[in-house]
Amino acid sequence: MFDDGNFSEYETVLLTDWMAHTPHDVLSKNFGVSEQALDKMPRREKFIFQAEVPGPLEADQKAAAGSLGMSTQDFAFRVAQQPIFETHQGRRSKNYRFQQIQNLHYDCGGNCYRPPGGIRELHWHPNADEWQYYISGAGRMTVFATGGRARTMDFQAGDVGYIQKTLPHYVENTGATDLKFLEMFKSSSYQDLALSEWLTHTPPELVMAHLGIDRATLEAMPKDEPVVMPK
Protein backbone atom coordinates (compact mmCIF):
# COMPACT_ATOMS: atom_id res chain seq x y z
CA MET A 1 0.00 0.00 0.00
CA PHE A 2 1.51 3.31 -1.10
CA ASP A 3 0.01 6.63 -0.09
CA ASP A 4 0.89 8.33 -3.39
CA GLY A 5 -1.16 7.65 -6.51
CA ASN A 6 1.89 8.55 -8.65
CA PHE A 7 4.07 5.77 -7.20
CA SER A 8 6.08 3.77 -9.72
CA GLU A 9 8.23 0.68 -9.25
CA TYR A 10 10.92 2.53 -11.21
CA GLU A 11 11.28 4.90 -8.27
CA THR A 12 12.45 2.14 -5.91
CA VAL A 13 16.11 1.50 -5.11
CA LEU A 14 17.30 -2.10 -5.50
CA LEU A 15 20.36 -3.35 -3.65
CA THR A 16 21.83 -5.09 -6.68
CA ASP A 17 21.28 -2.04 -8.91
CA TRP A 18 23.00 0.19 -6.35
CA MET A 19 25.97 -2.14 -6.02
CA ALA A 20 26.29 -2.52 -9.82
CA HIS A 21 26.68 1.26 -10.13
CA THR A 22 29.26 1.57 -7.37
CA PRO A 23 32.99 1.05 -8.20
CA HIS A 24 34.45 -2.08 -6.62
CA ASP A 25 37.30 -0.13 -5.06
CA VAL A 26 34.71 1.97 -3.24
CA LEU A 27 32.83 -1.14 -2.13
CA SER A 28 36.11 -2.70 -1.01
CA LYS A 29 36.85 0.28 1.24
CA ASN A 30 33.27 0.42 2.50
CA PHE A 31 33.01 -3.26 3.48
CA GLY A 32 36.64 -3.78 4.49
CA VAL A 33 37.18 -6.68 2.10
CA SER A 34 39.33 -7.23 -0.99
CA GLU A 35 38.07 -6.33 -4.46
CA GLN A 36 38.56 -9.95 -5.47
CA ALA A 37 35.98 -10.98 -2.87
CA LEU A 38 33.41 -8.91 -4.76
CA ASP A 39 34.06 -10.35 -8.22
CA LYS A 40 30.84 -12.38 -8.25
CA MET A 41 28.60 -9.45 -7.45
CA PRO A 42 25.88 -8.93 -10.12
CA ARG A 43 26.72 -6.39 -12.82
CA ARG A 44 23.07 -5.40 -13.20
CA GLU A 45 19.93 -5.34 -11.08
CA LYS A 46 18.17 -8.52 -9.94
CA PHE A 47 14.43 -7.93 -9.60
CA ILE A 48 12.73 -11.31 -9.15
CA PHE A 49 15.03 -14.32 -9.02
CA GLN A 50 15.32 -17.83 -7.60
CA ALA A 51 17.11 -18.39 -4.29
CA GLU A 52 17.32 -21.08 -1.61
CA VAL A 53 14.24 -21.72 0.53
CA PRO A 54 14.81 -19.94 3.88
CA GLY A 55 15.42 -21.93 7.03
CA PRO A 56 13.76 -21.60 10.45
CA LEU A 57 12.21 -18.22 11.25
CA GLU A 58 14.07 -18.10 14.56
CA ALA A 59 17.43 -18.09 12.79
CA ASP A 60 16.47 -15.09 10.65
CA GLN A 61 15.08 -13.28 13.69
CA LYS A 62 18.33 -13.85 15.59
CA ALA A 63 20.43 -12.61 12.67
CA ALA A 64 18.28 -9.51 12.25
CA ALA A 65 18.30 -8.74 15.98
CA GLY A 66 22.10 -8.65 16.17
CA SER A 67 23.71 -7.42 19.37
CA LEU A 68 20.89 -4.98 20.17
CA GLY A 69 18.18 -7.62 20.39
CA MET A 70 14.72 -7.60 18.82
CA SER A 71 12.82 -4.35 18.47
CA THR A 72 10.15 -3.65 21.06
CA GLN A 73 7.94 -2.13 18.35
CA ASP A 74 5.52 -4.43 16.55
CA PHE A 75 5.52 -3.69 12.81
CA ALA A 76 2.72 -6.13 12.00
CA PHE A 77 -0.89 -4.99 11.65
CA ARG A 78 -3.16 -8.02 12.00
CA VAL A 79 -6.23 -6.93 10.06
CA ALA A 80 -8.09 -10.20 10.49
CA GLN A 81 -7.89 -9.82 14.27
CA GLN A 82 -9.59 -6.41 14.35
CA PRO A 83 -13.14 -6.24 15.81
CA ILE A 84 -15.95 -6.26 13.27
CA PHE A 85 -19.63 -5.38 13.45
CA GLU A 86 -22.51 -6.92 11.60
CA THR A 87 -25.16 -5.27 9.43
CA HIS A 88 -28.11 -6.99 7.79
CA GLN A 89 -26.32 -6.94 4.47
CA GLY A 90 -22.62 -7.22 5.26
CA ARG A 91 -19.77 -7.18 7.73
CA ARG A 92 -17.09 -4.57 8.22
CA SER A 93 -14.44 -3.73 10.73
CA LYS A 94 -14.45 -0.51 12.63
CA ASN A 95 -12.00 2.14 11.50
CA TYR A 96 -8.52 1.64 12.88
CA ARG A 97 -5.26 3.42 12.21
CA PHE A 98 -2.04 1.48 11.68
CA GLN A 99 -0.02 2.82 14.61
CA GLN A 100 3.31 2.71 12.78
CA ILE A 101 2.03 5.10 10.08
CA GLN A 102 0.62 8.35 11.41
CA ASN A 103 -1.19 9.43 8.26
CA LEU A 104 -2.69 6.19 6.98
CA HIS A 105 -6.14 4.92 7.90
CA TYR A 106 -8.05 1.85 6.82
CA ASP A 107 -11.75 1.24 6.66
CA CYS A 108 -13.00 -2.35 6.51
CA GLY A 109 -9.48 -3.71 6.20
CA GLY A 110 -9.55 -7.41 5.42
CA ASN A 111 -13.03 -7.66 6.95
CA CYS A 112 -15.08 -5.63 4.47
CA TYR A 113 -17.79 -7.82 2.93
CA ARG A 114 -20.71 -7.22 0.61
CA PRO A 115 -23.10 -10.15 0.09
CA PRO A 116 -24.54 -10.82 -3.38
CA GLY A 117 -26.69 -7.84 -4.35
CA GLY A 118 -25.43 -5.73 -1.44
CA ILE A 119 -24.35 -2.15 -2.10
CA ARG A 120 -22.18 0.30 -0.19
CA GLU A 121 -24.53 3.26 -0.23
CA LEU A 122 -23.87 6.45 -2.22
CA HIS A 123 -21.34 8.43 -0.20
CA TRP A 124 -18.14 10.44 -0.37
CA HIS A 125 -15.04 11.11 1.73
CA PRO A 126 -14.39 14.81 2.45
CA ASN A 127 -10.84 14.54 3.76
CA ALA A 128 -8.90 11.97 1.74
CA ASP A 129 -8.56 9.99 -1.49
CA GLU A 130 -9.57 6.33 -1.31
CA TRP A 131 -7.56 3.35 -2.52
CA GLN A 132 -9.20 -0.04 -2.86
CA TYR A 133 -7.78 -3.54 -3.29
CA TYR A 134 -10.25 -6.27 -4.29
CA ILE A 135 -9.54 -9.58 -2.56
CA SER A 136 -12.35 -11.84 -3.78
CA GLY A 137 -15.72 -11.76 -5.50
CA ALA A 138 -16.98 -9.40 -8.20
CA GLY A 139 -18.08 -5.79 -7.83
CA ARG A 140 -19.09 -2.72 -9.77
CA MET A 141 -18.29 0.86 -8.84
CA THR A 142 -19.47 4.18 -10.24
CA VAL A 143 -17.58 7.38 -9.43
CA PHE A 144 -19.27 10.72 -10.13
CA ALA A 145 -17.26 13.85 -10.94
CA THR A 146 -18.01 17.47 -11.73
CA GLY A 147 -19.27 18.57 -15.12
CA GLY A 148 -21.75 15.70 -15.43
CA ARG A 149 -18.96 13.15 -15.72
CA ALA A 150 -19.08 9.61 -14.32
CA ARG A 151 -17.31 6.30 -14.83
CA THR A 152 -18.56 2.79 -14.08
CA MET A 153 -16.19 -0.20 -13.98
CA ASP A 154 -16.29 -3.85 -12.93
CA PHE A 155 -13.74 -5.15 -10.41
CA GLN A 156 -12.54 -8.61 -9.43
CA ALA A 157 -9.84 -10.15 -7.25
CA GLY A 158 -6.48 -8.44 -7.76
CA ASP A 159 -7.92 -5.18 -9.11
CA VAL A 160 -7.22 -1.77 -7.60
CA GLY A 161 -9.75 1.06 -7.38
CA TYR A 162 -9.10 4.75 -6.77
CA ILE A 163 -11.47 7.61 -5.89
CA GLN A 164 -10.36 11.20 -5.52
CA LYS A 165 -11.29 13.09 -2.39
CA THR A 166 -14.91 14.41 -2.28
CA LEU A 167 -16.09 12.47 -5.37
CA PRO A 168 -19.40 10.60 -4.76
CA HIS A 169 -19.35 6.84 -5.41
CA TYR A 170 -20.86 3.47 -4.52
CA VAL A 171 -19.73 -0.18 -4.71
CA GLU A 172 -22.16 -2.99 -5.59
CA ASN A 173 -21.65 -6.75 -5.35
CA THR A 174 -22.46 -8.12 -8.80
CA GLY A 175 -21.30 -11.68 -8.15
CA ALA A 176 -22.75 -14.82 -6.58
CA THR A 177 -20.40 -14.81 -3.57
CA ASP A 178 -19.29 -12.28 -0.95
CA LEU A 179 -17.34 -9.30 -2.27
CA LYS A 180 -14.28 -8.68 -0.11
CA PHE A 181 -11.98 -5.68 -0.48
CA LEU A 182 -9.70 -3.24 1.33
CA GLU A 183 -10.27 0.51 1.62
CA MET A 184 -7.30 2.73 2.49
CA PHE A 185 -7.06 6.47 3.15
CA LYS A 186 -4.09 8.82 3.54
CA SER A 187 -5.43 10.52 6.63
CA SER A 188 -5.03 10.42 10.39
CA SER A 189 -8.82 10.10 10.72
CA TYR A 190 -11.60 8.39 8.77
CA GLN A 191 -14.47 10.52 7.47
CA ASP A 192 -17.40 9.78 5.17
CA LEU A 193 -20.78 11.31 4.37
CA ALA A 194 -23.75 9.18 3.27
CA LEU A 195 -26.12 10.69 0.72
CA SER A 196 -29.27 9.46 2.48
CA GLU A 197 -28.04 10.82 5.81
CA TRP A 198 -27.34 14.19 4.22
CA LEU A 199 -30.73 14.38 2.48
CA THR A 200 -32.69 13.45 5.62
CA HIS A 201 -30.95 16.25 7.53
CA THR A 202 -31.76 18.86 4.88
CA PRO A 203 -35.05 20.85 4.93
CA PRO A 204 -37.66 18.43 3.47
CA GLU A 205 -39.23 20.92 1.06
CA LEU A 206 -35.83 21.63 -0.48
CA VAL A 207 -35.10 17.93 -1.02
CA MET A 208 -38.55 17.19 -2.46
CA ALA A 209 -38.28 20.15 -4.84
CA HIS A 210 -34.91 18.95 -6.11
CA LEU A 211 -35.73 15.25 -6.49
CA GLY A 212 -39.41 15.35 -7.38
CA ILE A 213 -40.32 12.90 -4.61
CA ASP A 214 -43.16 13.01 -2.09
CA ARG A 215 -42.82 13.27 1.68
CA ALA A 216 -43.53 9.58 2.25
CA THR A 217 -40.60 8.61 0.03
CA LEU A 218 -38.32 11.06 1.80
CA GLU A 219 -39.37 9.86 5.23
CA ALA A 220 -38.66 6.24 4.22
CA MET A 221 -34.99 7.05 3.61
CA PRO A 222 -32.50 5.95 6.31
CA LYS A 223 -31.96 8.73 8.85
CA ASP A 224 -28.50 7.50 9.82
CA GLU A 225 -25.61 6.23 7.73
CA PRO A 226 -26.81 2.83 6.41
CA VAL A 227 -23.36 1.69 5.18
CA VAL A 228 -24.66 -1.35 3.30
CA MET A 229 -28.00 -1.54 1.52
CA PRO A 230 -30.59 -2.94 1.35
CA LYS A 231 -31.14 -3.21 5.09
Side-chain angles (χ1 to χ4, degrees):
M1 175 63 202
F2 299 94
D3 64 0
D4 185 349
N6 294 316
F7 170 79
S8 168
E9 67 178 61
Y10 299 109
E11 295 174 355
T12 60
V13 176
L14 300 180
L15 173 62
T16 50
D17 197 23
W18 184 11
M19 297 298 96
H21 287 82
T22 304
H24 276 202
D25 62 324
V26 174
L27 294 176
S28 174
K29 294 176 183 178
N30 183 81
F31 295 131
V33 299
S34 67
E35 290 189 43
Q36 290 72 26
L38 307 174
D39 283 344
K40 293 185 178 180
M41 271 196 173
R43 301 296 178 175
R44 55 182 297 178
E45 71 174 44
K46 296 173 69 175
F47 187 59
I48 298 177
F49 58 95
Q50 188 66 45
E52 295 294 329
V53 176
L57 175 62
E58 293 76 13
D60 281 354
Q61 290 175 330
K62 182 178 180 180
S67 60
L68 297 178
M70 295 184 65
S71 173
T72 57
Q73 188 172 8
D74 188 359
F75 294 95
F77 187 59
R78 298 165 181 84
V79 174
Q81 296 178 12
Q82 304 305 318
I84 63 174
F85 65 89
E86 302 281 344
T87 71
H88 292 290
Q89 285 292 326
R91 291 178 287 159
R92 61 183 294 191
S93 68
K94 295 183 178 179
N95 304 306
Y96 288 90
R97 180 166 56 83
F98 184 19
Q99 296 300 318
Q100 282 69 28
I101 305 177
Q102 298 303 312
N103 291 318
L104 193 62
H105 217 83
Y106 89 88
D107 176 41
C108 297
N111 298 319
C112 184
Y113 297 86
R114 302 286 178 268
I119 183 172
R120 172 70 156 97
E121 93 284 32
L122 279 75
H123 68 285
W124 67 95
H125 304 281
N127 67 327
D129 297 350
E130 176 182 334
W131 286 267
Q132 303 170 334
Y133 179 73
Y134 288 81
I135 300 171
S136 62
R140 180 170 298 160
M141 177 170 65
T142 292
V143 179
F144 305 88
T146 57
R149 296 172 297 158
R151 174 169 292 181
T152 300
M153 294 188 68
D154 288 333
F155 293 85
Q156 59 186 359
D159 287 342
V160 173
Y162 175 72
I163 306 103
Q164 289 184 337
K165 178 173 63 176
T166 74
L167 293 187
H169 57 283
Y170 68 88
V171 180
E172 182 179 15
N173 185 343
T174 57
T177 60
D178 281 353
L179 173 63
K180 182 178 180 182
F181 61 98
L182 288 159
E183 293 178 348
M184 304 292 295
F185 304 86
K186 184 182 179 182
S187 172
S188 59
S189 64
Y190 173 81
Q191 297 180 13
D192 69 355
L193 289 171
L195 177 60
S196 58
E197 187 176 23
W198 175 44
L199 292 178
T200 54
H201 289 79
T202 300
E205 290 76 11
L206 190 62
V207 176
M208 291 186 291
H210 273 80
L211 300 182
I213 58 177
D214 57 26
R215 187 174 293 274
T217 301
L218 178 59
E219 291 178 350
M221 291 183 181
K223 303 298 187 295
D224 300 314
E225 181 181 23
V227 182
V228 181
M229 295 296 289
K231 285 292 188 180

